[in-house]
Amino acid sequence: MAPEGLTYVNSWTTDDLRRCYQVMECADRSLLEAWMAKWHDIVDFEVVQVMTSPQFAAAVAALGPAEAE
C-alpha cells in the first residue's frame, strides 16, 4: 500500500508484540503521510527522522572540532 517513491527498509517488533518499529525511506515527507493515512484507523504513528551512521559522521565533521564537543 506504499506509494511509489516510499521504500520499506526494515522493521522490528518488541517481544510482547505490542510495538513495531518500521523504517521507511523517501525524499518527500508527503509520501509517508499518504501511506500513514491509509492505516490511521488501526495504527497510531510516531514519526522520527533519522540518518545513517555515515550521514551522522559527515554532519559531525561539518561542525568542526569546537562545535562537535
Side-chain angles (χ1 to χ4, degrees), residues 51 54-65 67-69:
M51 64 180 79
Q55 290 168 328
F56 173 79
V60 171
L63 292 175
E67 293 181 66
E69 293 178 2

Side-chain angles (χ1 to χ4, degrees), residues 17-66:
L17 306 179
R18 296 184 57 149
R19 209 172 261 234
C20 177
Y21 297 91
Q22 195 153 23
V23 177
M24 306 294 283
E25 184 176 36
C26 62
D28 181 355
R29 168 82 183 237
S30 69
L31 297 173
L32 183 60
E33 299 288 343
W35 175 75
M36 291 188 305
K38 294 178 182 179
W39 294 97
H40 80 279
D41 57 333
I42 60 171
V43 178
D44 292 322
F45 289 95
E46 178 182 356
V47 177
V48 178
Q49 187 170 334
V50 297
M51 64 180 79
T52 64
S53 293
Q55 290 168 328
F56 173 79
V60 171
L63 292 175

